[in-house]
Amino acid sequence: MRGRNGARAGSRLLVVHAARTDARAGCPPRVGFVVSRAVGGAVVRNRVKRRLRALAAARVRALPSGVDLVVRANPAAADAVSSQLEAVLDPLWHKVIGRLEPGT
């Protein structure tokens, strides 16, 4: 996700990475999630992933083709409710996509 074709934006709860490569031009966008053990036990990690997956599913159609997006949860995400995750995810999502667009 690093390099000149990538972008990153973060907050206390989440970090969003995005990249666009020529090899994936024209392919549908992909979204992945990273929720490490630092977030909590298996139950907590899976709850965070479920919430993030539901939030991303509503937004993935707006992604440009060929974009890979990774949402990484920080340990503070374990105590966040869905509305808090959504309030943080939206601006980060738009920020990294805006940085990937040509001319911005």
Side-chain angles (χ1 to χ4, degrees), residues 20-94:
R20 175 181 282 167
T21 61
D22 293 336
R24 291 210 12 93
C27 294
R30 298 186 296 188
V31 179
F33 305 95
V34 177
V35 183
S36 74
R37 285 174 140 180
V39 174
V43 172
V44 173
R45 291 194 314 267
N46 285 326
R47 182 182 327 121
V48 171
K49 275 189 279 190
R50 249 189 340 267
R51 289 176 176 170
L52 292 173
R53 198 176 301 120
L55 293 171
R59 292 160 180 75
V60 73
R61 289 192 175 129
L63 285 176
S65 62
V67 170
D68 290 335
L69 196 100
V70 175
V71 179
R72 181 168 47 97
N74 288 331
D79 300 323
V81 295
S82 294
S83 60
Q84 290 172 319
L85 292 174
E86 183 176 22
V88 170
L89 180 63
D90 277 336
L92 297 177
W93 186 288
H94 293 298

